[in-house]
Amino acid sequence: MGLTLTEKIIKEHIVDGEMIKGTEIGLRIDQTLTQDATGTMAYLQFEAMGVDRVKTERSVAYIDHNTLQSGFENADDHRFIGSVAKKHGIWFSRPGNGICHQVHLERFGKPGKTLIGSDSHTPTGGGIGMFACGAGGLDVAVAMGGGAYYITMPEVVNIKLTGKLNDWVSAKDVILKVLQILSVKGGVGKVMEYSGDGVLSLSVPERATITNMGAELGATTSIFPSDETTRAFLKAQGREEDYVPLAADPDAVYDKTVEIDLSTLEPLAACPHSPDNVKSINEIGNIKIDQVCIGSCTNSSMQDLLKVAHILKGKTVHPDVSLAIAPGSKQVYNMMAQCGALSDLIDAGARILECACGPCIGMGQSPNSHGISLRTFNRNFEGRSGTKDGQIYLVSPETAAISAITGVLTDPRTIGAMPPYVMPERFIINDNMVTPPASPEEAPSVEILRGPNIKPFPINKPLPESIEAGVTLKVGDNITTDHIMPAGAKILPLRSNIPAISEFCFTVCDETFPKRAKEAGKSIIVGGSNYGQGSSREHAALAPLYLGVKAIICKSFARIHKQNLINNGILPLTFVNEADYDRIDQGDELALPDVKTEVENGSKIIVKDITKGFEFETTLELSGRGKAMILEGGLLNCTKKNG
Ligand code: MIC
Ligand code: SF4
């Protein structure tokens, strides 16, 4: 029986467990990446592990999220990360060099390699045939130290693409279609593997747009084959030697197949407030818009921006619209400047932002009250833009650019023929903003630069025999990490300071939560399905830990967040009978009288609702390693105990 591409790469990298679906496997990790908003924690954890030099083939630390520097905090964190990188064998991509995923694709990604990154959009690397997963900072720290990365052996879904995209329809519309079909939880426990002759017509950056936003399906990762298009991209990047051809065997067996005929797709948009709330532009109609933002790790490649420039050339941004554009990398920015396309953007009235995440994570450019903003980004969760009642629609660069001119949401197909654009054969290659690490000889003398905002991270205690705590918060389905630990310009600078950032935990849902949780001392949170979808931010576990949260009881969890909870010794419990969710109210006192023994013996945990006088069952699905982490109070405690 033939193998899928996913299975082939896993087979090459498996160091623990067996390739049996649903069981835990450990993978050798070739490359890691971090960004600055999760990086400080990851490197503090790496330091706590006491490893001198990373053991990976390539580890890169990027600065791209916290670049506003409205106080000393961001700049201090940049210096800290730069110094840790230098000392421990990590390449340092300086602020200004671009968004981690875009730069990694351009300069470092290699087909067939494994990559984990402390950012949920690390699967962007799947566009170049990497097995690339988003992970918690602690998992990345372990991988840098040479440890395996553990995942559940995934099911593999074949997304079979046939036909060719019509003019004005692009890669963003493909992934929005997949989201419409499968939903934000449709990918949990699965890898999305793309195949079919439709793949041939997609460039590497287009494939990367699709794998990037596979994160919104909750998928473990997404991957494209590596073919002549991949070779051409690597050649244009001056690194053809990194090319290897990769594809699934012709007789590979998939768990499920979804067929999409590219020629039938039309321009789509994800409506507020979820990436799977997808409708066609036609269905939504010509709504008046206030803002357009183009960029982010989903749509900021040279190809995307060239298209935008050709659309904007000689036009003016509509008087009622603000258009902001952030190129994905210095390479893109510079090439746009060199070929004159940047001038077309500027001339049309675009507000050019630095190459960074920017508005995607609420770092500036928040829309006006009730403002309607079209964005080429990947997430439109409530409040993420920095404006609580902002209405964010996720669209392709084509739809965004044309609507910026017309002032209303516009189906680009109604505007006439698509202006032609020609991609350069060679990209400008200048890695001068990537600082190499110090040599092993020089490394001991490199001083680590720690700013006053960098506070030690909380470490849990071993699991007690029993837990008694109140339900300090009850939330519904699809709670995102942006609900649990919001980002944005005010809060992101506190990423290195858990006591301070905890003051904002869950404030999107309930402003009183941090205060109440602290007063209660110990608490339990009750949630619906797909709890913790979205970001890989470990802060969504560390802040609740700091506030005394002992357990989350919900209908189901998103993958990375569940692992972050386990890594920090917080119990992720699921209802056996989902109807019990409705019987519990915020304020109820709960007890887990035999929790320790139950964890030791199996997966069933009995919970008593003392207030209401009933008892219900929950499950704790853990591997052997996960069990040890829960019993010891987290991964670091386990590592220390086992030497
Ligand atoms: C995001 O898109 O939500 C982020 C900000 O990139 C996060 C990482 C973070 O919270 O720092 C992610 O996707 O993992
Ligand atoms: Fe940055 Fe946005 Fe991409 Fe997250 S999704 S890495 S915030 S650009």
PDB file of all heavy atoms in Angstrom, residues 35 37-38 65 101 118-121 357 360-361 378-379 384 481-482 487 492 495 534-537, ligand 1:
ATOM      1  N   GLN A  35       8.709  33.710  17.112  1.00  0.00           N
ATOM      2  CA  GLN A  35       8.516  35.148  16.874  1.00  0.00           C
ATOM      3  C   GLN A  35       8.583  35.821  18.239  1.00  0.00           C
ATOM      4  O   GLN A  35       8.586  35.140  19.264  1.00  0.00           O
ATOM      5  CB  GLN A  35       7.221  35.405  16.096  1.00  0.00           C
ATOM      6  CG  GLN A  35       6.020  34.543  16.485  1.00  0.00           C
ATOM      7  CD  GLN A  35       5.162  35.109  17.573  1.00  0.00           C
ATOM      8  OE1 GLN A  35       5.614  35.932  18.347  1.00  0.00           O
ATOM      9  NE2 GLN A  35       3.934  34.648  17.659  1.00  0.00           N
ATOM     10  N   ALA A  37       6.520  37.655  20.082  1.00  0.00           N
ATOM     11  CA  ALA A  37       5.427  37.693  21.062  1.00  0.00           C
ATOM     12  C   ALA A  37       5.356  36.403  21.875  1.00  0.00           C
ATOM     13  O   ALA A  37       4.843  36.388  22.988  1.00  0.00           O
ATOM     14  CB  ALA A  37       4.098  37.952  20.365  1.00  0.00           C
ATOM     15  N   THR A  38       5.852  35.313  21.302  1.00  0.00           N
ATOM     16  CA  THR A  38       5.919  34.064  22.066  1.00  0.00           C
ATOM     17  C   THR A  38       7.372  33.721  22.396  1.00  0.00           C
ATOM     18  O   THR A  38       7.638  32.869  23.227  1.00  0.00           O
ATOM     19  CB  THR A  38       5.336  32.889  21.247  1.00  0.00           C
ATOM     20  OG1 THR A  38       5.981  32.895  19.966  1.00  0.00           O
ATOM     21  CG2 THR A  38       3.835  33.023  21.055  1.00  0.00           C
ATOM     22  N   HIS A  65       6.145  40.718  15.503  1.00  0.00           N
ATOM     23  CA  HIS A  65       4.830  40.997  16.094  1.00  0.00           C
ATOM     24  C   HIS A  65       4.802  42.325  16.845  1.00  0.00           C
ATOM     25  O   HIS A  65       3.968  43.179  16.607  1.00  0.00           O
ATOM     26  CB  HIS A  65       4.439  39.877  17.070  1.00  0.00           C
ATOM     27  CG  HIS A  65       3.876  38.660  16.401  1.00  0.00           C
ATOM     28  ND1 HIS A  65       4.588  37.900  15.517  1.00  0.00           N
ATOM     29  CD2 HIS A  65       2.661  38.059  16.501  1.00  0.00           C
ATOM     30  CE1 HIS A  65       3.841  36.887  15.098  1.00  0.00           C
ATOM     31  NE2 HIS A  65       2.664  36.968  15.676  1.00  0.00           N
ATOM     32  N   HIS A 101       6.799  33.832   8.887  1.00  0.00           N
ATOM     33  CA  HIS A 101       6.426  32.767   7.937  1.00  0.00           C
ATOM     34  C   HIS A 101       6.826  33.115   6.505  1.00  0.00           C
ATOM     35  O   HIS A 101       7.243  32.258   5.745  1.00  0.00           O
ATOM     36  CB  HIS A 101       4.930  32.485   8.042  1.00  0.00           C
ATOM     37  CG  HIS A 101       4.500  32.233   9.449  1.00  0.00           C
ATOM     38  ND1 HIS A 101       5.067  31.240  10.207  1.00  0.00           N
ATOM     39  CD2 HIS A 101       3.590  32.851  10.247  1.00  0.00           C
ATOM     40  CE1 HIS A 101       4.532  31.265  11.416  1.00  0.00           C
ATOM     41  NE2 HIS A 101       3.637  32.237  11.470  1.00  0.00           N
ATOM     42  N   SER A 118       6.754  28.608  17.237  1.00  0.00           N
ATOM     43  CA  SER A 118       5.870  29.053  18.323  1.00  0.00           C
ATOM     44  C   SER A 118       4.868  30.052  17.756  1.00  0.00           C
ATOM     45  O   SER A 118       4.723  31.169  18.254  1.00  0.00           O
ATOM     46  CB  SER A 118       6.684  29.661  19.466  1.00  0.00           C
ATOM     47  OG  SER A 118       7.398  30.795  19.015  1.00  0.00           O
ATOM     48  N   ASP A 119       4.204  29.637  16.730  1.00  0.00           N
ATOM     49  CA  ASP A 119       3.177  30.456  16.099  1.00  0.00           C
ATOM     50  C   ASP A 119       2.295  29.522  15.281  1.00  0.00           C
ATOM     51  O   ASP A 119       2.800  28.658  14.555  1.00  0.00           O
ATOM     52  CB  ASP A 119       3.828  31.506  15.172  1.00  0.00           C
ATOM     53  CG  ASP A 119       2.787  32.515  14.731  1.00  0.00           C
ATOM     54  OD1 ASP A 119       2.000  32.182  13.820  1.00  0.00           O
ATOM     55  OD2 ASP A 119       2.720  33.603  15.311  1.00  0.00           O
ATOM     56  N   SER A 120       0.996  29.706  15.398  1.00  0.00           N
ATOM     57  CA  SER A 120       0.079  28.733  14.806  1.00  0.00           C
ATOM     58  C   SER A 120       0.099  28.716  13.281  1.00  0.00           C
ATOM     59  O   SER A 120      -0.374  27.770  12.669  1.00  0.00           O
ATOM     60  CB  SER A 120      -1.342  29.011  15.284  1.00  0.00           C
ATOM     61  OG  SER A 120      -1.764  30.267  14.813  1.00  0.00           O
ATOM     62  N   HIS A 121       0.666  29.756  12.654  1.00  0.00           N
ATOM     63  CA  HIS A 121       0.695  29.755  11.192  1.00  0.00           C
ATOM     64  C   HIS A 121       1.977  29.184  10.595  1.00  0.00           C
ATOM     65  O   HIS A 121       2.255  29.341   9.405  1.00  0.00           O
ATOM     66  CB  HIS A 121       0.383  31.161  10.648  1.00  0.00           C
ATOM     67  CG  HIS A 121      -1.052  31.509  10.896  1.00  0.00           C
ATOM     68  ND1 HIS A 121      -1.445  32.364  11.897  1.00  0.00           N
ATOM     69  CD2 HIS A 121      -2.187  31.040  10.328  1.00  0.00           C
ATOM     70  CE1 HIS A 121      -2.775  32.424  11.927  1.00  0.00           C
ATOM     71  NE2 HIS A 121      -3.242  31.628  10.989  1.00  0.00           N
ATOM     72  N   CYS A 357       3.640  42.050  11.339  1.00  0.00           N
ATOM     73  CA  CYS A 357       2.256  41.583  11.482  1.00  0.00           C
ATOM     74  C   CYS A 357       1.285  42.770  11.534  1.00  0.00           C
ATOM     75  O   CYS A 357       0.189  42.715  10.984  1.00  0.00           O
ATOM     76  CB  CYS A 357       2.098  40.783  12.760  1.00  0.00           C
ATOM     77  SG  CYS A 357       3.170  39.340  12.818  1.00  0.00           S
ATOM     78  N   CYS A 360      -2.824  42.916  11.751  1.00  0.00           N
ATOM     79  CA  CYS A 360      -3.348  41.550  11.884  1.00  0.00           C
ATOM     80  C   CYS A 360      -3.491  41.156  13.350  1.00  0.00           C
ATOM     81  O   CYS A 360      -4.387  40.396  13.713  1.00  0.00           O
ATOM     82  CB  CYS A 360      -2.426  40.582  11.151  1.00  0.00           C
ATOM     83  SG  CYS A 360      -2.953  38.885  11.295  1.00  0.00           S
ATOM     84  N   ILE A 361      -2.583  41.674  14.170  1.00  0.00           N
ATOM     85  CA  ILE A 361      -2.643  41.325  15.589  1.00  0.00           C
ATOM     86  C   ILE A 361      -3.002  42.562  16.428  1.00  0.00           C
ATOM     87  O   ILE A 361      -2.680  42.677  17.610  1.00  0.00           O
ATOM     88  CB  ILE A 361      -1.343  40.575  16.014  1.00  0.00           C
ATOM     89  CG1 ILE A 361      -1.442  39.972  17.400  1.00  0.00           C
ATOM     90  CG2 ILE A 361      -0.088  41.419  15.835  1.00  0.00           C
ATOM     91  CD1 ILE A 361      -2.551  38.978  17.544  1.00  0.00           C
ATOM     92  N   ASN A 378      -5.894  36.242   8.101  1.00  0.00           N
ATOM     93  CA  ASN A 378      -6.442  34.888   8.295  1.00  0.00           C
ATOM     94  C   ASN A 378      -7.426  34.778   9.458  1.00  0.00           C
ATOM     95  O   ASN A 378      -8.048  33.736   9.642  1.00  0.00           O
ATOM     96  CB  ASN A 378      -5.297  33.883   8.467  1.00  0.00           C
ATOM     97  CG  ASN A 378      -4.262  34.370   9.456  1.00  0.00           C
ATOM     98  OD1 ASN A 378      -4.588  35.002  10.450  1.00  0.00           O
ATOM     99  ND2 ASN A 378      -2.995  34.095   9.178  1.00  0.00           N
ATOM    100  N   ARG A 379      -7.500  35.793  10.299  1.00  0.00           N
ATOM    101  CA  ARG A 379      -8.387  35.684  11.464  1.00  0.00           C
ATOM    102  C   ARG A 379      -9.233  36.935  11.590  1.00  0.00           C
ATOM    103  O   ARG A 379      -8.719  38.050  11.444  1.00  0.00           O
ATOM    104  CB  ARG A 379      -7.580  35.500  12.757  1.00  0.00           C
ATOM    105  CG  ARG A 379      -6.948  34.149  12.795  1.00  0.00           C
ATOM    106  CD  ARG A 379      -6.240  33.845  14.100  1.00  0.00           C
ATOM    107  NE  ARG A 379      -5.812  32.466  14.034  1.00  0.00           N
ATOM    108  CZ  ARG A 379      -4.708  31.981  14.563  1.00  0.00           C
ATOM    109  NH1 ARG A 379      -3.908  32.772  15.253  1.00  0.00           N
ATOM    110  NH2 ARG A 379      -4.399  30.717  14.442  1.00  0.00           N
ATOM    111  N   ARG A 384     -10.222  41.345  17.770  1.00  0.00           N
ATOM    112  CA  ARG A 384      -8.802  41.152  17.451  1.00  0.00           C
ATOM    113  C   ARG A 384      -8.201  42.378  16.754  1.00  0.00           C
ATOM    114  O   ARG A 384      -7.009  42.661  16.883  1.00  0.00           O
ATOM    115  CB  ARG A 384      -8.646  39.896  16.576  1.00  0.00           C
ATOM    116  CG  ARG A 384      -7.215  39.564  16.190  1.00  0.00           C
ATOM    117  CD  ARG A 384      -7.183  38.241  15.432  1.00  0.00           C
ATOM    118  NE  ARG A 384      -5.975  38.083  14.675  1.00  0.00           N
ATOM    119  CZ  ARG A 384      -4.953  37.301  15.021  1.00  0.00           C
ATOM    120  NH1 ARG A 384      -4.997  36.598  16.126  1.00  0.00           N
ATOM    121  NH2 ARG A 384      -3.895  37.212  14.280  1.00  0.00           N
ATOM    122  N   THR A 481      -8.107  31.824  21.427  1.00  0.00           N
ATOM    123  CA  THR A 481      -7.047  32.301  22.326  1.00  0.00           C
ATOM    124  C   THR A 481      -7.070  33.828  22.401  1.00  0.00           C
ATOM    125  O   THR A 481      -6.528  34.403  23.333  1.00  0.00           O
ATOM    126  CB  THR A 481      -5.677  31.815  21.840  1.00  0.00           C
ATOM    127  OG1 THR A 481      -5.591  32.082  20.447  1.00  0.00           O
ATOM    128  CG2 THR A 481      -5.491  30.338  22.084  1.00  0.00           C
ATOM    129  N   ASP A 482      -7.687  34.473  21.418  1.00  0.00           N
ATOM    130  CA  ASP A 482      -7.845  35.931  21.498  1.00  0.00           C
ATOM    131  C   ASP A 482      -8.891  36.318  22.550  1.00  0.00           C
ATOM    132  O   ASP A 482      -8.880  37.450  23.039  1.00  0.00           O
ATOM    133  CB  ASP A 482      -8.232  36.522  20.140  1.00  0.00           C
ATOM    134  CG  ASP A 482      -7.029  36.709  19.221  1.00  0.00           C
ATOM    135  OD1 ASP A 482      -6.223  37.606  19.474  1.00  0.00           O
ATOM    136  OD2 ASP A 482      -6.896  35.926  18.273  1.00  0.00           O
ATOM    137  N   ALA A 487      -4.650  40.113  22.460  1.00  0.00           N
ATOM    138  CA  ALA A 487      -3.374  40.733  22.045  1.00  0.00           C
ATOM    139  C   ALA A 487      -3.618  42.224  21.844  1.00  0.00           C
ATOM    140  O   ALA A 487      -4.328  42.841  22.617  1.00  0.00           O
ATOM    141  CB  ALA A 487      -2.873  40.042  20.796  1.00  0.00           C
ATOM    142  N   LEU A 492       0.020  43.355  24.096  1.00  0.00           N
ATOM    143  CA  LEU A 492       1.166  42.584  23.590  1.00  0.00           C
ATOM    144  C   LEU A 492       2.503  42.944  24.244  1.00  0.00           C
ATOM    145  O   LEU A 492       3.317  42.055  24.488  1.00  0.00           O
ATOM    146  CB  LEU A 492       1.283  42.720  22.071  1.00  0.00           C
ATOM    147  CG  LEU A 492       0.602  41.632  21.236  1.00  0.00           C
ATOM    148  CD1 LEU A 492       0.936  41.830  19.762  1.00  0.00           C
ATOM    149  CD2 LEU A 492       1.006  40.232  21.653  1.00  0.00           C
ATOM    150  N   ARG A 495       3.840  40.576  27.041  1.00  0.00           N
ATOM    151  CA  ARG A 495       3.999  39.138  26.826  1.00  0.00           C
ATOM    152  C   ARG A 495       5.127  38.496  27.670  1.00  0.00           C
ATOM    153  O   ARG A 495       5.147  37.298  27.873  1.00  0.00           O
ATOM    154  CB  ARG A 495       4.258  38.857  25.343  1.00  0.00           C
ATOM    155  CG  ARG A 495       3.016  38.854  24.467  1.00  0.00           C
ATOM    156  CD  ARG A 495       2.175  37.630  24.755  1.00  0.00           C
ATOM    157  NE  ARG A 495       0.978  37.552  23.962  1.00  0.00           N
ATOM    158  CZ  ARG A 495       0.875  36.936  22.775  1.00  0.00           C
ATOM    159  NH1 ARG A 495       1.923  36.353  22.245  1.00  0.00           N
ATOM    160  NH2 ARG A 495      -0.272  36.909  22.140  1.00  0.00           N
ATOM    161  N   GLY A 534      -7.232  28.841  17.459  1.00  0.00           N
ATOM    162  CA  GLY A 534      -6.490  30.038  17.069  1.00  0.00           C
ATOM    163  C   GLY A 534      -5.014  29.912  17.349  1.00  0.00           C
ATOM    164  O   GLY A 534      -4.375  28.951  16.932  1.00  0.00           O
ATOM    165  N   SER A 535      -4.519  30.866  18.100  1.00  0.00           N
ATOM    166  CA  SER A 535      -3.093  31.046  18.282  1.00  0.00           C
ATOM    167  C   SER A 535      -2.436  29.927  19.085  1.00  0.00           C
ATOM    168  O   SER A 535      -3.078  29.196  19.831  1.00  0.00           O
ATOM    169  CB  SER A 535      -2.898  32.375  19.007  1.00  0.00           C
ATOM    170  OG  SER A 535      -1.702  32.400  19.716  1.00  0.00           O
ATOM    171  N   SER A 536      -1.099  29.877  18.951  1.00  0.00           N
ATOM    172  CA  SER A 536      -0.314  28.927  19.744  1.00  0.00           C
ATOM    173  C   SER A 536       0.109  29.547  21.077  1.00  0.00           C
ATOM    174  O   SER A 536       0.822  28.929  21.849  1.00  0.00           O
ATOM    175  CB  SER A 536       0.935  28.557  18.966  1.00  0.00           C
ATOM    176  OG  SER A 536       1.752  29.715  18.835  1.00  0.00           O
ATOM    177  N   ARG A 537      -0.302  30.794  21.329  1.00  0.00           N
ATOM    178  CA  ARG A 537       0.235  31.521  22.479  1.00  0.00           C
ATOM    179  C   ARG A 537       0.075  30.735  23.780  1.00  0.00           C
ATOM    180  O   ARG A 537      -1.029  30.394  24.193  1.00  0.00           O
ATOM    181  CB  ARG A 537      -0.383  32.922  22.585  1.00  0.00           C
ATOM    182  CG  ARG A 537      -1.876  32.958  22.769  1.00  0.00           C
ATOM    183  CD  ARG A 537      -2.428  34.364  22.630  1.00  0.00           C
ATOM    184  NE  ARG A 537      -2.411  34.794  21.229  1.00  0.00           N
ATOM    185  CZ  ARG A 537      -3.252  35.678  20.687  1.00  0.00           C
ATOM    186  NH1 ARG A 537      -4.172  36.259  21.433  1.00  0.00           N
ATOM    187  NH2 ARG A 537      -3.181  36.000  19.428  1.00  0.00           N
TER     188      ARG A 537
HETATM  189  C1  MIC B   1      -1.776  35.166  15.881  1.00  0.00           C
HETATM  190  O1  MIC B   1      -1.897  35.231  14.660  1.00  0.00           O
HETATM  191  O2  MIC B   1      -2.739  35.035  16.655  1.00  0.00           O
HETATM  192  C2  MIC B   1      -0.393  35.169  16.468  1.00  0.00           C
HETATM  193  C3  MIC B   1      -0.224  36.435  17.202  1.00  0.00           C
HETATM  194  O3  MIC B   1       0.569  35.143  15.438  1.00  0.00           O
HETATM  195  C4  MIC B   1      -0.248  33.953  17.358  1.00  0.00           C
HETATM  196  C5  MIC B   1       0.974  33.922  18.165  1.00  0.00           C
HETATM  197  C6  MIC B   1       0.896  34.779  19.375  1.00  0.00           C
HETATM  198  O4  MIC B   1      -0.129  34.848  20.023  1.00  0.00           O
HETATM  199  O5  MIC B   1       1.936  35.347  19.692  1.00  0.00           O
HETATM  200  C7  MIC B   1      -0.349  32.600  16.653  1.00  0.00           C
HETATM  201  O6  MIC B   1      -0.972  32.514  15.635  1.00  0.00           O
HETATM  202  O7  MIC B   1       0.134  31.587  17.197  1.00  0.00           O
END
